mmCIF file of all heavy atoms in Angstrom:
data_model
loop_
_atom_site.group_PDB
_atom_site.id
_atom_site.type_symbol
_atom_site.label_atom_id
_atom_site.label_comp_id
_atom_site.label_asym_id
_atom_site.label_seq_id
_atom_site.Cartn_x
_atom_site.Cartn_y
_atom_site.Cartn_z
ATOM 1 N N ASN A 213 9.282 51.612 9.170
ATOM 2 C CA ASN A 213 9.808 50.307 8.750
ATOM 3 C C ASN A 213 9.246 49.895 7.393
ATOM 4 O O ASN A 213 9.116 48.713 7.099
ATOM 5 C CB ASN A 213 9.466 49.263 9.823
ATOM 6 C CG ASN A 213 10.350 48.051 9.726
ATOM 7 O OD1 ASN A 213 11.529 48.162 9.367
ATOM 8 N ND2 ASN A 213 9.803 46.897 10.021
ATOM 9 N N THR A 214 8.952 50.880 6.572
ATOM 10 C CA THR A 214 8.267 50.660 5.297
ATOM 11 C C THR A 214 8.930 49.585 4.444
ATOM 12 O O THR A 214 8.261 48.793 3.793
ATOM 13 C CB THR A 214 8.246 51.989 4.509
ATOM 14 O OG1 THR A 214 7.882 53.029 5.415
ATOM 15 C CG2 THR A 214 7.266 51.933 3.352
ATOM 16 N N ARG A 215 10.238 49.594 4.433
ATOM 17 C CA ARG A 215 10.980 48.629 3.615
ATOM 18 C C ARG A 215 11.888 47.729 4.463
ATOM 19 O O ARG A 215 12.923 47.260 3.988
ATOM 20 C CB ARG A 215 11.770 49.388 2.543
ATOM 21 C CG ARG A 215 10.816 50.083 1.584
ATOM 22 C CD ARG A 215 11.470 50.972 0.561
ATOM 23 N NE ARG A 215 10.442 51.479 -0.329
ATOM 24 C CZ ARG A 215 9.682 52.555 -0.068
ATOM 25 N NH1 ARG A 215 9.876 53.261 1.030
ATOM 26 N NH2 ARG A 215 8.763 52.926 -0.911
ATOM 27 N N GLY A 216 11.487 47.540 5.715
ATOM 28 C CA GLY A 216 12.194 46.583 6.570
ATOM 29 C C GLY A 216 13.529 47.057 7.116
ATOM 30 O O GLY A 216 14.287 46.259 7.660
ATOM 31 N N LEU A 217 13.818 48.351 6.998
ATOM 32 C CA LEU A 217 15.127 48.838 7.446
ATOM 33 C C LEU A 217 15.063 49.624 8.753
ATOM 34 O O LEU A 217 16.060 50.200 9.184
ATOM 35 C CB LEU A 217 15.760 49.716 6.350
ATOM 36 C CG LEU A 217 16.142 48.965 5.070
ATOM 37 C CD1 LEU A 217 16.697 49.928 4.027
ATOM 38 C CD2 LEU A 217 17.163 47.881 5.362
ATOM 39 N N GLY A 218 13.892 49.628 9.383
ATOM 40 C CA GLY A 218 13.726 50.460 10.577
ATOM 41 C C GLY A 218 14.732 50.172 11.684
ATOM 42 O O GLY A 218 15.415 51.078 12.165
ATOM 43 N N VAL A 219 14.821 48.908 12.103
ATOM 44 C CA VAL A 219 15.725 48.567 13.201
ATOM 45 C C VAL A 219 17.183 48.764 12.780
ATOM 46 O O VAL A 219 18.012 49.245 13.554
ATOM 47 C CB VAL A 219 15.463 47.124 13.695
ATOM 48 C CG1 VAL A 219 16.579 46.645 14.609
ATOM 49 C CG2 VAL A 219 14.129 47.052 14.444
ATOM 50 N N ALA A 220 17.491 48.433 11.527
ATOM 51 C CA ALA A 220 18.868 48.635 11.026
ATOM 52 C C ALA A 220 19.225 50.127 11.066
ATOM 53 O O ALA A 220 20.345 50.499 11.437
ATOM 54 C CB ALA A 220 19.000 48.095 9.604
ATOM 55 N N ASN A 221 18.273 50.975 10.701
ATOM 56 C CA ASN A 221 18.537 52.415 10.732
ATOM 57 C C ASN A 221 18.714 52.926 12.160
ATOM 58 O O ASN A 221 19.565 53.787 12.419
ATOM 59 C CB ASN A 221 17.402 53.174 10.041
ATOM 60 C CG ASN A 221 17.467 53.025 8.531
ATOM 61 O OD1 ASN A 221 18.542 52.889 7.959
ATOM 62 N ND2 ASN A 221 16.311 53.035 7.877
ATOM 63 N N ILE A 222 17.916 52.393 13.084
ATOM 64 C CA ILE A 222 18.083 52.784 14.487
ATOM 65 C C ILE A 222 19.466 52.352 14.971
ATOM 66 O O ILE A 222 20.182 53.118 15.618
ATOM 67 C CB ILE A 222 16.962 52.184 15.375
ATOM 68 C CG1 ILE A 222 15.643 52.914 15.082
ATOM 69 C CG2 ILE A 222 17.321 52.288 16.860
ATOM 70 C CD1 ILE A 222 14.453 52.404 15.855
ATOM 71 N N PHE A 223 19.865 51.139 14.625
ATOM 72 C CA PHE A 223 21.190 50.672 15.045
ATOM 73 C C PHE A 223 22.284 51.541 14.432
ATOM 74 O O PHE A 223 23.279 51.858 15.087
ATOM 75 C CB PHE A 223 21.397 49.197 14.688
ATOM 76 C CG PHE A 223 22.600 48.615 15.377
ATOM 77 C CD1 PHE A 223 22.591 48.416 16.749
ATOM 78 C CD2 PHE A 223 23.743 48.302 14.666
ATOM 79 C CE1 PHE A 223 23.707 47.910 17.404
ATOM 80 C CE2 PHE A 223 24.862 47.787 15.306
ATOM 81 C CZ PHE A 223 24.847 47.590 16.681
ATOM 82 N N ALA A 224 22.081 51.967 13.177
ATOM 83 C CA ALA A 224 23.058 52.866 12.545
ATOM 84 C C ALA A 224 23.127 54.185 13.317
ATOM 85 O O ALA A 224 24.219 54.745 13.508
ATOM 86 C CB ALA A 224 22.675 53.119 11.088
ATOM 87 N N GLY A 225 21.976 54.665 13.793
ATOM 88 C CA GLY A 225 21.947 55.876 14.625
ATOM 89 C C GLY A 225 22.690 55.668 15.933
ATOM 90 O O GLY A 225 23.468 56.521 16.377
ATOM 91 N N ILE A 226 22.472 54.509 16.558
ATOM 92 C CA ILE A 226 23.159 54.186 17.815
ATOM 93 C C ILE A 226 24.670 54.133 17.591
ATOM 94 O O ILE A 226 25.459 54.654 18.382
ATOM 95 C CB ILE A 226 22.642 52.835 18.386
ATOM 96 C CG1 ILE A 226 21.180 52.978 18.828
ATOM 97 C CG2 ILE A 226 23.509 52.362 19.546
ATOM 98 C CD1 ILE A 226 20.505 51.664 19.222
ATOM 99 N N MET A 227 25.065 53.512 16.481
ATOM 100 C CA MET A 227 26.493 53.409 16.144
ATOM 101 C C MET A 227 27.108 54.788 15.905
ATOM 102 O O MET A 227 28.310 54.977 16.053
ATOM 103 C CB MET A 227 26.687 52.565 14.875
ATOM 104 C CG MET A 227 26.382 51.095 15.038
ATOM 105 S SD MET A 227 27.580 50.257 16.074
ATOM 106 C CE MET A 227 28.957 50.127 14.934
ATOM 107 N N SER A 228 26.255 55.752 15.525
ATOM 108 C CA SER A 228 26.731 57.104 15.270
ATOM 109 C C SER A 228 26.684 57.976 16.518
ATOM 110 O O SER A 228 26.945 59.173 16.454
ATOM 111 C CB SER A 228 25.876 57.762 14.185
ATOM 112 O OG SER A 228 25.798 56.935 13.045
ATOM 113 N N GLY A 229 26.303 57.385 17.642
ATOM 114 C CA GLY A 229 26.281 58.132 18.892
ATOM 115 C C GLY A 229 24.980 58.859 19.164
ATOM 116 O O GLY A 229 24.869 59.588 20.139
ATOM 117 N N PHE A 230 23.961 58.670 18.319
ATOM 118 C CA PHE A 230 22.652 59.276 18.596
ATOM 119 C C PHE A 230 21.945 58.422 19.649
ATOM 120 O O PHE A 230 22.122 57.200 19.682
ATOM 121 C CB PHE A 230 21.815 59.382 17.312
ATOM 122 C CG PHE A 230 22.109 60.627 16.517
ATOM 123 C CD1 PHE A 230 23.417 61.043 16.310
ATOM 124 C CD2 PHE A 230 21.082 61.394 15.982
ATOM 125 C CE1 PHE A 230 23.699 62.205 15.588
ATOM 126 C CE2 PHE A 230 21.350 62.553 15.255
ATOM 127 C CZ PHE A 230 22.661 62.963 15.056
ATOM 128 N N THR A 231 21.155 59.066 20.490
ATOM 129 C CA THR A 231 20.623 58.347 21.658
ATOM 130 C C THR A 231 19.110 58.476 21.835
ATOM 131 O O THR A 231 18.569 57.954 22.800
ATOM 132 C CB THR A 231 21.291 58.860 22.950
ATOM 133 O OG1 THR A 231 21.074 60.267 23.051
ATOM 134 C CG2 THR A 231 22.789 58.578 22.948
ATOM 135 N N ARG A 232 18.426 59.157 20.927
ATOM 136 C CA ARG A 232 16.970 59.338 21.104
ATOM 137 C C ARG A 232 16.236 58.867 19.851
ATOM 138 O O ARG A 232 16.521 59.354 18.755
ATOM 139 C CB ARG A 232 16.636 60.799 21.399
ATOM 140 C CG ARG A 232 17.247 61.311 22.694
ATOM 141 C CD ARG A 232 17.077 62.812 22.858
ATOM 142 N NE ARG A 232 18.017 63.316 23.840
ATOM 143 C CZ ARG A 232 19.269 63.660 23.549
ATOM 144 N NH1 ARG A 232 19.718 63.590 22.309
ATOM 145 N NH2 ARG A 232 20.084 64.068 24.499
ATOM 146 N N PHE A 233 15.305 57.938 20.058
ATOM 147 C CA PHE A 233 14.617 57.309 18.926
ATOM 148 C C PHE A 233 13.124 57.170 19.220
ATOM 149 O O PHE A 233 12.746 56.854 20.339
ATOM 150 C CB PHE A 233 15.198 55.922 18.656
ATOM 151 C CG PHE A 233 16.686 55.929 18.398
ATOM 152 C CD1 PHE A 233 17.592 55.814 19.452
ATOM 153 C CD2 PHE A 233 17.177 56.094 17.111
ATOM 154 C CE1 PHE A 233 18.969 55.848 19.226
ATOM 155 C CE2 PHE A 233 18.551 56.124 16.869
ATOM 156 C CZ PHE A 233 19.443 56.005 17.930
ATOM 157 N N ASP A 234 12.313 57.370 18.178
ATOM 158 C CA ASP A 234 10.873 57.119 18.289
ATOM 159 C C ASP A 234 10.587 55.685 17.833
ATOM 160 O O ASP A 234 11.239 55.173 16.918
ATOM 161 C CB ASP A 234 10.080 58.049 17.364
ATOM 162 C CG ASP A 234 10.138 59.516 17.802
ATOM 163 O OD1 ASP A 234 10.666 59.794 18.895
ATOM 164 O OD2 ASP A 234 9.644 60.365 17.040
ATOM 165 N N SER A 235 9.580 55.078 18.436
ATOM 166 C CA SER A 235 9.092 53.788 17.945
ATOM 167 C C SER A 235 7.660 53.616 18.431
ATOM 168 O O SER A 235 7.196 54.365 19.291
ATOM 169 C CB SER A 235 9.977 52.631 18.428
ATOM 170 O OG SER A 235 9.912 52.532 19.836
ATOM 171 N N SER A 236 6.969 52.630 17.868
ATOM 172 C CA SER A 236 5.538 52.483 18.145
ATOM 173 C C SER A 236 5.207 51.018 18.443
ATOM 174 O O SER A 236 5.648 50.122 17.716
ATOM 175 C CB SER A 236 4.756 52.965 16.907
ATOM 176 O OG SER A 236 3.389 52.701 17.030
ATOM 177 N N PHE A 237 4.425 50.789 19.503
ATOM 178 C CA PHE A 237 4.052 49.415 19.862
ATOM 179 C C PHE A 237 3.518 48.652 18.662
ATOM 180 O O PHE A 237 2.697 49.167 17.898
ATOM 181 C CB PHE A 237 2.974 49.410 20.946
ATOM 182 C CG PHE A 237 3.493 49.779 22.306
ATOM 183 C CD1 PHE A 237 2.972 50.867 22.983
ATOM 184 C CD2 PHE A 237 4.505 49.047 22.890
ATOM 185 C CE1 PHE A 237 3.455 51.210 24.235
ATOM 186 C CE2 PHE A 237 5.004 49.380 24.144
ATOM 187 C CZ PHE A 237 4.472 50.472 24.815
ATOM 188 N N ALA A 238 3.998 47.439 18.510
ATOM 189 C CA ALA A 238 3.530 46.509 17.466
ATOM 190 C C ALA A 238 3.811 47.023 16.050
ATOM 191 O O ALA A 238 3.422 46.413 15.073
ATOM 192 C CB ALA A 238 2.040 46.204 17.630
ATOM 193 N N GLY A 239 4.512 48.164 15.955
ATOM 194 C CA GLY A 239 4.778 48.744 14.637
ATOM 195 C C GLY A 239 3.538 49.417 14.061
ATOM 196 O O GLY A 239 3.449 49.645 12.848
ATOM 197 N N VAL A 240 2.600 49.769 14.946
ATOM 198 C CA VAL A 240 1.356 50.398 14.471
ATOM 199 C C VAL A 240 1.670 51.744 13.829
ATOM 200 O O VAL A 240 2.556 52.468 14.268
ATOM 201 C CB VAL A 240 0.373 50.575 15.653
ATOM 202 C CG1 VAL A 240 -0.858 51.353 15.221
ATOM 203 C CG2 VAL A 240 -0.027 49.215 16.188
ATOM 204 N N GLY A 241 0.947 52.052 12.775
ATOM 205 C CA GLY A 241 1.151 53.319 12.070
ATOM 206 C C GLY A 241 1.471 53.045 10.622
ATOM 207 O O GLY A 241 2.439 52.361 10.305
ATOM 208 N N GLY A 242 0.656 53.543 9.746
ATOM 209 C CA GLY A 242 0.882 53.245 8.335
ATOM 210 C C GLY A 242 1.936 54.125 7.727
ATOM 211 O O GLY A 242 2.334 55.125 8.288
ATOM 212 N N CYS A 243 2.432 53.712 6.582
ATOM 213 C CA CYS A 243 3.230 54.625 5.781
ATOM 214 C C CYS A 243 2.238 55.297 4.851
ATOM 215 O O CYS A 243 1.586 54.625 4.058
ATOM 216 C CB CYS A 243 4.282 53.882 4.984
ATOM 217 S SG CYS A 243 5.093 54.966 3.801
ATOM 218 N N PRO A 244 2.104 56.607 4.953
ATOM 219 C CA PRO A 244 1.047 57.279 4.187
ATOM 220 C C PRO A 244 1.223 57.168 2.666
ATOM 221 O O PRO A 244 0.290 57.441 1.934
ATOM 222 C CB PRO A 244 1.153 58.736 4.633
ATOM 223 C CG PRO A 244 2.180 58.802 5.703
ATOM 224 C CD PRO A 244 2.913 57.515 5.741
ATOM 225 N N PHE A 245 2.391 56.789 2.195
ATOM 226 C CA PHE A 245 2.644 56.834 0.747
ATOM 227 C C PHE A 245 2.741 55.470 0.094
ATOM 228 O O PHE A 245 2.833 55.372 -1.118
ATOM 229 C CB PHE A 245 3.922 57.630 0.465
ATOM 230 C CG PHE A 245 4.009 58.846 1.317
ATOM 231 C CD1 PHE A 245 4.884 58.900 2.378
ATOM 232 C CD2 PHE A 245 3.172 59.919 1.088
ATOM 233 C CE1 PHE A 245 4.928 60.009 3.204
ATOM 234 C CE2 PHE A 245 3.204 61.030 1.905
ATOM 235 C CZ PHE A 245 4.088 61.074 2.965
ATOM 236 N N VAL A 246 2.776 54.416 0.913
ATOM 237 C CA VAL A 246 2.866 53.072 0.347
ATOM 238 C C VAL A 246 1.734 52.238 0.939
ATOM 239 O O VAL A 246 1.837 51.751 2.052
ATOM 240 C CB VAL A 246 4.237 52.412 0.674
ATOM 241 C CG1 VAL A 246 4.359 51.077 -0.038
ATOM 242 C CG2 VAL A 246 5.379 53.333 0.297
ATOM 243 N N PRO A 247 0.639 52.097 0.218
ATOM 244 C CA PRO A 247 -0.499 51.349 0.763
ATOM 245 C C PRO A 247 -0.108 49.932 1.160
ATOM 246 O O PRO A 247 0.586 49.251 0.416
ATOM 247 C CB PRO A 247 -1.495 51.330 -0.408
ATOM 248 C CG PRO A 247 -1.079 52.432 -1.316
ATOM 249 C CD PRO A 247 0.395 52.583 -1.141
ATOM 250 N N GLY A 248 -0.517 49.534 2.362
ATOM 251 C CA GLY A 248 -0.248 48.176 2.811
ATOM 252 C C GLY A 248 1.154 47.957 3.365
ATOM 253 O O GLY A 248 1.488 46.857 3.789
ATOM 254 N N ALA A 249 1.976 48.986 3.332
ATOM 255 C CA ALA A 249 3.353 48.822 3.810
ATOM 256 C C ALA A 249 3.392 48.784 5.332
ATOM 257 O O ALA A 249 2.481 49.238 6.002
ATOM 258 C CB ALA A 249 4.222 49.967 3.312
ATOM 259 N N ALA A 250 4.496 48.241 5.858
ATOM 260 C CA ALA A 250 4.712 48.238 7.297
ATOM 261 C C ALA A 250 4.728 49.678 7.803
ATOM 262 O O ALA A 250 5.002 50.613 7.055
ATOM 263 C CB ALA A 250 6.036 47.553 7.612
ATOM 264 N N GLY A 251 4.424 49.834 9.086
ATOM 265 C CA GLY A 251 4.343 51.181 9.628
ATOM 266 C C GLY A 251 5.602 51.621 10.338
ATOM 267 O O GLY A 251 6.691 51.571 9.768
ATOM 268 N N ASN A 252 5.444 52.027 11.585
ATOM 269 C CA ASN A 252 6.599 52.452 12.373
ATOM 270 C C ASN A 252 7.454 51.239 12.738
ATOM 271 O O ASN A 252 7.054 50.095 12.535
ATOM 272 C CB ASN A 252 6.116 53.130 13.661
ATOM 273 C CG ASN A 252 5.674 54.557 13.415
ATOM 274 O OD1 ASN A 252 6.493 55.447 13.316
ATOM 275 N ND2 ASN A 252 4.374 54.777 13.300
ATOM 276 N N VAL A 253 8.601 51.512 13.316
ATOM 277 C CA VAL A 253 9.402 50.434 13.877
ATOM 278 C C VAL A 253 8.717 49.991 15.164
ATOM 279 O O VAL A 253 8.299 50.826 15.962
ATOM 280 C CB VAL A 253 10.826 50.924 14.212
ATOM 281 C CG1 VAL A 253 11.697 49.765 14.640
ATOM 282 C CG2 VAL A 253 11.438 51.638 13.025
ATOM 283 N N ALA A 254 8.575 48.682 15.346
ATOM 284 C CA ALA A 254 7.899 48.175 16.542
ATOM 285 C C ALA A 254 8.778 48.395 17.774
ATOM 286 O O ALA A 254 9.942 47.988 17.796
ATOM 287 C CB ALA A 254 7.579 46.692 16.392
ATOM 288 N N THR A 255 8.190 49.017 18.792
ATOM 289 C CA THR A 255 8.942 49.313 20.023
ATOM 290 C C THR A 255 9.572 48.057 20.615
ATOM 291 O O THR A 255 10.736 48.058 21.005
ATOM 292 C CB THR A 255 7.997 49.976 21.043
ATOM 293 O OG1 THR A 255 7.575 51.221 20.499
ATOM 294 C CG2 THR A 255 8.677 50.199 22.383
ATOM 295 N N GLU A 256 8.799 46.956 20.662
ATOM 296 C CA GLU A 256 9.332 45.743 21.293
ATOM 297 C C GLU A 256 10.484 45.148 20.485
ATOM 298 O O GLU A 256 11.401 44.538 21.054
ATOM 299 C CB GLU A 256 8.223 44.706 21.530
ATOM 300 C CG GLU A 256 7.480 44.243 20.289
ATOM 301 C CD GLU A 256 6.345 45.188 19.893
ATOM 302 O OE1 GLU A 256 6.261 46.298 20.446
ATOM 303 O OE2 GLU A 256 5.554 44.793 19.007
#
Side-chain angles (χ1 to χ4, degrees):
N213 200 34
T214 315
R215 295 174 176 84
L217 293 177
V219 167
N221 286 329
I222 288 178
F223 193 69
I226 293 172
M227 291 291 284
S228 308
F230 275 44
T231 57
R232 297 171 198 85
F233 303 89
D234 292 352
S235 64
S236 173
F237 286 121
V240 174
C243 171
F245 318 106
V246 186
N252 281 280
V253 187
T255 296
E256 59 276 11

